[in-house]
Amino acid sequence: MEIISSPHAPAAIGPYAQAIVHNGLIYTSGQIALNAQGEFIGGDISAQAHQVLKNLKAVLEAGGSSLAKVIKTTVFLSDMDHFAPLNAIYGEYFSTHKPARSTVAVKTLPKNALVEIECIAQV
């Protein structure tokens, strides 16, 4: 088991790793719209989704993977009304490669974020 950390994504804000590699798979922790310095960027769902996916990309690359190797994502939304705009941004990052995905609405996310995404990918 290998702990992954990228300086191009926000450090964990609790007792967890950005990602773990185990048996050829990388499991990322959920990413919200924090920049690499750990500052919450705020903004609308589109701005937050871009930041979240940039963070995931950085963590995956630090673990020797990429968005093209993602097997499954789990998307947490603060409001299902954000589903369509999230899909538009998500489709920019997963245009030809479309991993399996679950999307759920939750009551609250850390920092009152609008979206959080985690994933599992091949290394």
Side-chain angles (χ1 to χ4, degrees), residues 12-95:
I13 56 175
Y16 59 89
Q18 287 176 330
I20 298 287
V21 172
H22 181 69
N23 287 340
L25 295 175
I26 183 168
Y27 301 83
T28 71
S29 292
Q31 291 290 319
I32 61 171
L34 298 172
N35 63 22
Q37 295 73 40
E39 300 161 335
F40 185 64
I41 66 150
D44 65 7
I45 186 64
S46 297
Q48 288 193 30
H50 273 296
Q51 185 64 53
V52 167
L53 289 158
K54 288 177 190 174
N55 291 346
L56 279 176
K57 181 177 184 286
V59 172
L60 289 168
E61 289 174 354
S65 188
S66 70
L67 290 173
K69 294 182 177 183
V70 172
I71 298 166
K72 167 90 168 58
T73 63
T74 305
V75 178
F76 304 93
L77 291 174
S78 66
D79 187 330
M80 274 301 184
D81 287 342
H82 298 310
F83 190 82
L86 168 80
N87 267 344
I89 303 306
Y90 187 94
E92 293 177 24
Y93 291 81
F94 296 106
S95 58

